[in-house]
Amino acid sequence: MTIRLATAADLPLLAAIERSATELFSPDDLPPEHRGDTLPLDRLQHARANGLLWVALAPRGAVAGFLAAEAAGDELHVCEMSVTPEQGGKGLGRALLATAIEHGRDARYAALTLTTFAHVPWNRPFYERLGFRALAPEACGERLQRILQAESRSGLRNRVAMRRDLP
């Protein structure tokens, strides 16, 4: 498997990857009206311009996953990470996160943050195995609280903020 920085040619492929990944979620967690929602193109372009958009290639070289991040003060925030269901469980997500962690360390960020579903086996437990810890609501800074509130208002349920310190 290969992880590399995204190119402009990769951008049109990412929405389909993100949409395919939503098929794995229950309607109780991800309401049907949000299944077509994807990270806006301008956010992907911004992440790419800042060297914070990576793609994972499947064995035959097709883009099968991506991770988009953004700088948030002294933290690096994972905005989105998606892998096609066909390539799920093959280590692409782990490799994408390892790349973001390495970048965060090299760039001297204090931590990596993200929000995810609290109870879905391939979400919170996956991140915990990679050194992230769930944050109690009172331990979330203002930025993460705003993200969780916006997700809740949009209909997402059972969300949690997580953090991985980057020593």
Side-chain angles (χ1 to χ4, degrees):
M1 115 189 46
T2 300
I3 306 297
R4 64 167 170 75
L5 286 169
T7 66
D10 296 326
L11 295 180
L13 309 172
L14 304 184
I17 292 169
E18 190 173 352
R19 277 193 295 277
S20 72
T22 66
E23 296 171 13
L24 300 172
F25 293 100
S26 157
D28 291 334
D29 296 320
L30 185 63
E33 64 269 17
H34 291 295
R35 293 193 180 267
D37 294 349
T38 60
L39 205 58
L41 181 60
D42 64 328
R43 285 188 70 190
L44 292 170
Q45 290 169 328
H46 185 261
R48 181 179 165 273
N50 288 292
L52 298 174
L53 179 62
W54 296 274
V55 295
L57 304 183
R60 295 182 184 213
V63 176
F66 73 95
L67 185 149
E70 63 187 8
D74 68 343
E75 298 173 337
L76 187 60
H77 183 73
V78 177
C79 305
E80 180 64 38
M81 185 174 78
S82 292
V83 173
T84 62
E86 301 78 30
Q87 293 299 320
K90 297 180 181 177
L92 274 68
R94 182 179 301 272
L96 284 163
L97 272 172
T99 300
I101 289 166
E102 181 180 345
H103 175 82
R105 280 189 181 130
D106 291 348
R108 302 194 188 281
Y109 285 100
L112 221 63
T113 63
L114 56 86
T115 60
T116 192
F117 289 102
H119 65 291
V120 177
W122 63 89
N123 277 196
R124 179 181 172 170
F126 167 76
Y127 294 115
E128 287 174 335
R129 286 190 301 274
L130 296 175
F132 286 82
R133 69 186 186 330
L135 299 174
E138 61 276 5
C140 294
E142 186 178 315
R143 175 183 57 82
L144 287 173
Q145 286 178 1
R146 278 195 316 269
I147 292 170
L148 288 170
Q149 289 166 357
E151 289 174 349
S152 177
R153 282 192 307 275
S154 77
L156 297 180
R157 298 175 190 89
N158 302 310
R159 300 291 284 177
V160 63
M162 300 188 80
R163 176 185 171 100
R164 184 183 197 280
D165 293 327
L166 299 176

